[in-house]
Amino acid sequence: MRLLAWAPRLPGLAGRQAPAGNCFGPGSCTGSPPRWWASVAAAGSKSGPVAAGRIMRPDDANVAGNVHGGTILKMIEEAGAIISTRYCNSQNGERCVAALARVERTDFLSPVCIGEVAHVSAEITYTSKHSVEVQVNVMSENIFAGTKKLANKATLWYVPLSLKNVDKVLEVPPFVYARQEQEEEGRRRYEAQKLERMETKWRNGDIVQPVPNPEPSTVSYSQSSLIHLVGPLDCTLHGFVHGGVTMKLMDEVAGIVAARHCKTNIVTASVDAINFHDKIRKGFIITISGRMTFTSNKSMEIEVLVDADPVVDNLQKRYRAASAFFTCVSLSPEGRSLPVPQLVPETEDEKKRFEEGKGRYLQMKAKRQGPAEPQP
């Protein structure tokens, strides 16, 4: 990731140089300068907001020049990890690293293109005893026209894990709210996401199986899987995968499924809540599987499942690590949305998932349109 020029001399940073490596903590730096260093230098207080920016390059985008949704999600997660880890270490006590537990539904409000600058800002909005809520906004800037627009905003939840034992969840320092209403609203969001996580943890226990000679427009025709060996560059220095790496791979698989279904250029329009059910460790093999669940006239919902296989540990079985629903749209060469082929569910399970997807689509459509005007 190429960062924009930065040179703030902040208290505590005078005389320091950017660490020469992809690292997340002392002693973990290797390779080229890390993509998050500008964020670390951009804020002086432990709970203050984090901000960073960089130019979008060709390897960030698809063939049409639109930046991959997974690239944006990865930048969002990096900013969230920095601010939550910094805050959770703001008081004396056992040192920790913040691990991503959940991403609330996020909408890609406008596309980001090659040559534009993506500005990412993050701030803490709520803390519970064992979790931190972070709000992240992404602005895209056309530096030639001098215009900016909101590209994405997301809410992420992190939990602090002990540096001595990453299976141990630590307590979060108390947060000072500007208004009591902010704490009450945050508590309601916390309880809602906690309930939904419990409901979805074991809901997607099945796996995506290949079907020989599938017919076009069926679920089997477009379903896809990606197998990835987790290496050191995917992980924190503590040996488990960055949430942003997982989200980027999930977005890639969702894009492949959508492209196979409609055979056009596609972009990610939104991501339903992403739940991280368990950590993925270095050396594991992960299988990211995607299948079409629902189509409207101009959108496609793809369910993406992440399964982790600890191949070198005979005592641990394959497990579901993460799951989410991605919504993609089909675009013409001119960037206009196109109608998509209608999905043809064949089995009872596919028909059930189609109806569930339809319910989610209608619910979000009604939410976007807002409450109906009262009739006179």
Side-chain angles (χ1 to χ4, degrees), residues 241-304:
V241 177
H242 288 288
V245 171
T246 304
M247 291 193 292
K248 191 173 189 297
L249 292 171
M250 294 173 77
D251 179 73
E252 288 179 8
V253 170
I256 292 170
V257 172
R260 279 181 167 174
H261 181 76
C262 61
K263 300 190 182 303
T264 62
N265 178 43
I266 63 95
V267 292
T268 306
S270 65
V271 185
D272 207 351
I274 303 176
N275 290 296
F276 293 85
H277 308 304
D278 207 341
K279 295 185 292 296
I280 304 171
R281 297 184 183 274
K282 182 172 61 179
F284 282 21
I285 292 176
I286 54 175
T287 302
I288 306 96
S289 304
R291 61 188 172 196
M292 192 81 63
T293 52
F294 170 75
T295 54
S296 67
N297 183 39
K298 290 189 176 182
S299 68
M300 300 161 279
E301 182 189 72
I302 298 101
E303 182 181 32
V304 181

Side-chain angles (χ1 to χ4, degrees), residues 75 208 247 254 286 297 305 308 324 349 370:
M75 294 175 66
V208 178
M247 291 193 292
I286 54 175
N297 183 39
L305 310 172
D349 284 342

Side-chain angles (χ1 to χ4, degrees), residues 206-266:
D206 58 335
I207 59 176
V208 178
Q209 298 284 5
V211 175
N213 302 318
E215 294 294 325
S217 298
T218 62
V219 175
S220 302
Y221 183 80
S222 60
Q223 69 182 27
S224 305
S225 295
L226 184 153
I227 299 174
H228 180 74
L229 174 63
V230 176
L233 291 179
D234 300 321
C235 299
T236 69
L237 76 160
H238 312 292
F240 58 87
V241 177
H242 288 288
V245 171
T246 304
M247 291 193 292
K248 191 173 189 297
L249 292 171
M250 294 173 77
D251 179 73
E252 288 179 8
V253 170
I256 292 170
V257 172
R260 279 181 167 174
H261 181 76
C262 61
K263 300 190 182 303
T264 62
N265 178 43
I266 63 95

Side-chain angles (χ1 to χ4, degrees), residues 119-174:
H119 299 274
V120 184
S121 60
E123 64 177 340
I124 293 173
T125 49
Y126 178 76
T127 62
S128 70
K129 184 177 181 181
H130 295 292
S131 63
V132 179
E133 182 191 51
V134 179
Q135 179 70 45
V136 183
N137 291 333
V138 181
M139 300 289 295
S140 62
E141 178 188 9
N142 185 319
I143 56 178
F144 302 104
T147 57
K148 285 186 177 181
K149 56 186 177 182
L150 180 64
N152 189 292
K153 55 183 179 179
T155 301
L156 304 90
W157 292 89
Y158 290 84
V159 293
L161 305 179
S162 168
L163 292 182
K164 298 178 181 179
N165 177 12
V166 294
D167 293 320
K168 178 183 177 182
V169 179
L170 302 180
E171 292 190 8
V172 177

